[in-house]
Amino acid sequence: AQSVAQPEDQVNVAEGNPLTVKCTYSVSGNPYLFWYVQYPNRGLQFLLKYITGDNLVKGSYGFEAEFNKSQTSFHLKKPSALVSDSALYFCAVRDNNNFNKFYFGSGTKLNVKP
Amino acid sequence: EPEVTQTPSHQVTQMGQEVILRCVPISNHLYFYWYRQILGQKVEFLVSFYNNEISEKSEIFDDQFSVERPDGSNFTLKIRSTKLEDSAMYFCASTRRGAETEAFFGQGTRLTVV
């Protein structure tokens, strides 16, 4: 069965420090992995995706994510956090054998303190 | 930049009433989705729609729910007889063909059932 886990409900980090938001996945076929961000009272905005190739993918707003096949993980990272990065982050996976839907994680609230 | 638009942004309805949530997906997209999110929690899959028919639906999507693409541009979600527990944020999304493509989400409709 396809699933995504985000083990942390909340991540707190000081502005200027590196941040990591964790995600692990389970799919039957090859995974297509995505990160979305949600600001208060807004829809989900696409940040980045991994399809194939280089395990480190770069996306919007300075975010990047590292695909690790052996650990079935796709952690979101940023070298230097900004207060404006504070939001809800969702990891999602799509199975290349069934692209009828995206499976979303439960979300991680990122708090960046000045 | 093309975007998915949803109307209304907020809908208040009495329990037992029918509601129709409207979405205009991005014009060259082929797959359409409805998701819902209760109080900033997990994003839950409701239904996917392709080639004018439902391709997959979740257990949430019972007989009270229906979707339609009446005119080739709008994509609607109808709830026939709303319940209190239907109160949520409803997101429409669309993608181009292919599992590797990211979904573009609308801003959502906040449905409040009283």
Side-chain angles (χ1 to χ4, degrees):
Chain A
Q2 280 72 260
S3 66
V4 176
Q6 291 181 244
E8 303 153 316
D9 290 335
Q10 188 165 296
V11 169
N12 298 312
V13 66
E15 188 173 33
N17 283 0
L19 69 88
T20 298
V21 182
K22 295 180 181 176
C23 170
T24 57
Y25 66 89
S26 172
V27 294
S28 55
N30 288 326
Y32 295 143
L33 295 153
F34 306 81
W35 274 102
Y36 285 84
V37 60
Q38 185 181 33
Y39 297 101
N41 300 312
R42 301 296 298 276
L44 285 80
Q45 294 179 37
F46 169 72
L47 274 180
L48 50 77
K49 66 181 177 182
Y50 171 82
I51 304 302
T52 187
D54 195 347
N55 288 343
L56 185 66
V57 293
K58 294 186 185 296
S60 307
Y61 312 121
F63 283 93
E64 57 191 30
E66 186 166 13
F67 172 65
N68 187 317
K69 188 173 183 179
S70 62
Q71 296 184 3
T72 61
S73 67
F74 188 56
H75 300 332
L76 181 71
K77 301 181 180 188
K78 188 173 182 181
S80 179
L82 299 172
V83 172
S84 56
D85 293 329
S86 298
L88 195 53
Y89 290 81
F90 289 94
C91 181
V93 67
R94 212 177 184 190
D95 186 339
N96 71 334
N97 290 324
N98 173 14
F99 44 91
N100 283 329
K101 64 184 179 185
F102 293 80
Y103 297 84
F104 281 88
S106 53
T108 299
K109 189 166 188 295
L110 174 66
N111 296 313
V112 182
K113 296 191 183 338
Chain B
E1 186 178 320
E3 59 180 16
V4 176
T5 57
Q6 290 185 243
T7 55
S9 56
H10 192 185
Q11 172 100 39
V12 181
T13 188
Q14 294 223 326
M15 193 168 54
Q17 295 296 304
E18 175 184 285
V19 294
I20 297 177
L21 309 183
R22 302 180 193 281
C23 168
V24 180
I26 295 173
S27 62
N28 63 347
H29 284 191
L30 299 175
Y31 286 82
F32 313 108
Y33 309 84
W34 283 101
Y35 283 82
R36 78 173 186 191
Q37 185 184 34
I38 296 176
L39 286 177
Q41 294 175 22
K42 187 167 187 170
V43 178
E44 299 175 298
F45 169 75
L46 291 177
V47 65
S48 59
F49 192 86
Y50 170 70
N51 203 24
N52 286 321
E53 61 183 21
I54 291 174
S55 46
E56 189 163 347
K57 59 183 180 180
S58 72
E59 60 276 6
I60 301 170
F61 195 88
D62 61 22
D63 292 344
Q64 294 300 312
F65 291 86
S66 63
V67 289
E68 206 175 38
R69 196 151 187 254
D71 55 12
S73 61
N74 291 287
F75 180 50
T76 61
L77 174 70
K78 183 194 290 187
I79 308 175
R80 271 181 258 285
S81 178
T82 50
K83 302 189 279 282
L84 293 176
E85 53 265 37
D86 293 327
S87 295
M89 195 76 159
Y90 288 80
F91 292 107
C92 173
S94 67
T95 66
R96 297 188 304 273
R97 190 180 185 88
E100 72 277 10
T101 57
E102 62 272 23
F104 290 80
F105 284 79
Q107 299 296 331
T109 293
R110 181 174 298 282
L111 176 66
T112 303
V113 182
V114 297

